[in-house]
Amino acid sequence: MRKALYFKFFCALSIFFLTIFVLPLEAKEEICNGDECYSKEFVATEEFQEVREGQEIHPGLHVKIDMSTGKKYAKILDPNDNETNKSSEVIIIDEHGNPINQEENASENLLITDKSQTNNKDSDLKFHQDSNESIFSHPFITSKHKENVRIPHSDHVQFESYLSQLENSSSIQVINSALDGLEELVHELDFGIKLARSQGIKIILALLDHDSAQIKKKAAIVIGTAMQNNPTAQNDVSHLNIVTRIFESLSIESDIKVSIRLLYALSSIVRGNKNAIQFIKDSNGLQSLVNLYQSSSNNEFRAKCALFISDFIDPNMIGQNTGLFEQGQYYDSIDPLMNVMEIWCRKFQETLFDNTGSSNKVDIDSREKILKGISMIKSQYSSSCETQDGFKNWIVKEEIEAIGEDYLEDYYKLIIQVKAQFGF
């Protein structure tokens, strides 16, 4: 009887051991880059190990960032380690492998939102000064924001380290890595605002002129991510004339992928931003974009243009208190956008079909976005959006193709909406 009890106890203990220790190990997620795979969760030891791309690290570790490579290393925190900064779990290493002393500046750097607020000229994390200072005025704060106190202190230190890498390194690898890190952080509103209120935004803007298309693309993504749905950050960069700056970059950019990212940044800054919208209206920005649209044969870029136009004139994207809309329509009878909207409506139609109603070579995703652009113009500027030859034949063919197809359900609904708008 006792042996049977021991056996049952042993079986139960074995099942418990498998459940707690063995099975979770088997279920651990892995990240694979080419032929190499490694655990998604970083397993710390008492020695520094490289934190691989995409790995998740737990708080409470001793982390080092190598500025010469942009790589991150971590180990179990040792309270007796002389390198460990008591105010931070992160140590930044310079290009010679020496730790940068942040103990005196760390807390101060985290509190600075405007360079003019401090006279500390000896800060370890100096910011880049653009050679043409007249292009940018000094930052000033135009709005208030309640800080998210739940953001880990190490994230703030890492934010500063990324800006320092952009300032102090000419390595494309380091700059790309720092931009990737900033992109992850500025999804958080606080870091988008922090970027806007620091010299960091000037550093990123300067990178739009870099020789590397990859760096220009990532710089545009960081700007767009920081500004998207972040009115405080939008207000805090209003003095930098970023809209003009991006239009200038778009006008000379030859890499279509960079142009698409620049358009994303422009959309993020303009969306919901009354001042930016008015500036584009006053400066004929939409006419400039028409010229870029005509000169491009890339459907993805054209689709992004259509989304930008749709958002620009959509009252729901602007808000109710901007004074630009009334009852879903522009109330200004001599609105300067009426003429340019007529051009956009015609160009969108010419992209989708020829004068016989035969479809041009446009993928379904781009087709849907461009048709949405036509629909939005028709809803807001009905008299400026007339049908082109072949439109009715084309829309009927599209309806026949989309009907009954589950994956085209949203597109089919859009077609029905457009038919009603144009009275087909």
Side-chain angles (χ1 to χ4, degrees), residues 275-396:
N275 292 331
I277 291 169
Q278 191 62 51
F279 175 81
I280 289 178
K281 290 180 68 177
D282 294 341
S283 61
N284 296 319
L286 297 187
Q287 180 61 59
S288 299
L289 195 58
V290 166
N291 298 334
L292 295 173
Y293 183 94
Q294 291 182 114
S295 63
S296 175
S297 59
N298 183 276
N299 287 328
E300 185 179 0
F301 177 75
R302 288 180 164 185
K304 296 297 184 184
C305 287
L307 279 177
F308 179 81
I309 296 300
S310 297
D311 287 351
F312 192 87
I313 63 174
D314 184 356
N316 295 321
M317 289 290 184
I318 309 300
Q320 299 301 316
N321 300 316
T322 62
L324 294 177
F325 293 97
E326 183 175 298
Q327 296 180 348
Q329 299 284 335
Y330 278 103
Y331 65 84
D332 187 351
S333 60
I334 55 171
D335 193 312
L337 292 186
M338 292 184 68
N339 291 334
V340 75
M341 284 301 133
E342 182 178 356
I343 298 173
W344 275 111
C345 184
R346 184 173 69 252
K347 292 301 176 184
F348 286 157
Q349 292 182 60
E350 291 174 356
T351 301
L352 295 176
F353 53 85
D354 61 23
N355 57 9
T356 68
S358 298
S359 293
N360 294 325
K361 292 183 178 180
V362 182
D363 61 277
I364 183 63
D365 183 62
S366 299
R367 212 184 311 164
E368 183 173 2
K369 289 181 174 66
I370 293 171
L371 187 58
K372 282 181 179 178
I374 295 172
S375 177
M376 182 57 68
I377 295 173
K378 188 64 176 176
S379 69
Q380 299 300 320
Y381 292 89
S382 182
S383 62
S384 297
C385 193
E386 300 296 332
T387 59
Q388 301 298 301
D389 290 342
F391 191 12
K392 185 173 183 179
N393 289 339
W394 177 82
I395 202 75
V396 170

Side-chain angles (χ1 to χ4, degrees), residues 64-275:
K64 293 201 301 185
I65 302 171
D66 189 338
M67 288 184 63
S68 64
T69 63
K71 292 182 178 180
K72 184 161 52 179
Y73 301 86
K75 71 172 185 176
I76 295 172
L77 192 63
D78 183 356
N80 298 318
D81 193 336
N82 292 330
E83 281 189 332
T84 304
N85 187 331
K86 293 180 182 180
S87 65
S88 172
E89 297 167 358
V90 178
I91 288 182
I92 306 168
I93 327 175
D94 64 21
E95 295 187 3
H96 305 291
N98 301 316
I100 295 176
N101 178 22
Q102 291 177 249
E103 189 167 5
E104 296 178 0
N105 311 344
S107 60
E108 183 179 0
N109 281 332
L110 296 179
L111 295 175
I112 295 173
T113 57
D114 185 340
K115 189 177 179 182
S116 63
Q117 292 176 322
T118 178
N119 294 320
N120 180 14
K121 297 181 181 179
D122 299 320
S123 171
D124 289 316
L125 298 179
K126 297 181 177 69
F127 290 103
H128 172 68
Q129 291 293 325
D130 195 283
S131 58
N132 188 0
E133 187 66 27
S134 63
I135 297 177
F136 305 111
S137 57
H138 290 290
F140 62 94
I141 297 174
T142 60
S143 52
K144 296 180 180 180
H145 172 74
K146 186 175 181 180
E147 183 180 358
N148 181 0
V149 296
R150 295 183 179 181
I151 298 175
H153 174 71
S154 59
D155 283 359
H156 286 279
V157 177
Q158 207 163 36
F159 176 88
E160 300 291 352
S161 77
Y162 290 141
L163 293 184
S164 181
Q165 288 175 45
L166 294 180
E167 160 62 12
N168 296 315
S169 178
S170 60
S171 165
I172 290 180
Q173 180 183 2
V174 173
I175 295 173
N176 276 327
S177 177
L179 289 172
D180 285 338
L182 281 175
E183 183 196 348
E184 291 184 13
L185 289 176
V186 296
H187 277 95
E188 168 64 48
L189 292 181
D190 282 45
F191 284 117
I193 295 167
K194 191 172 185 178
L195 182 69
R197 291 178 176 178
S198 72
Q199 297 295 312
I201 189 64
K202 293 185 180 181
I203 299 174
I204 306 296
L205 283 168
L207 291 176
L208 295 180
D209 294 324
H210 201 278
D211 292 336
S212 167
Q214 183 74 357
I215 287 177
K216 288 190 288 187
K217 183 171 68 173
K218 289 187 177 183
I221 292 173
V222 171
I223 294 171
T225 305
M227 298 297 129
Q228 191 171 43
N229 301 320
N230 196 338
T232 303
Q234 291 173 353
N235 289 336
D236 290 336
V237 298
S238 59
H239 61 293
L240 296 179
N241 298 322
I242 295 181
V243 172
T244 300
R245 178 70 182 76
I246 292 178
F247 266 118
E248 289 174 351
S249 293
L250 274 168
S251 66
I252 61 174
E253 184 55 56
S254 58
D255 189 297
I256 193 64
K257 294 297 183 182
V258 176
S259 294
I260 289 170
R261 297 306 184 184
L262 286 169
L263 197 53
Y264 161 68
L266 183 65
S267 298
S268 297
I269 293 169
V270 171
R271 187 179 294 117
N273 187 339
K274 176 183 176 181
N275 292 331

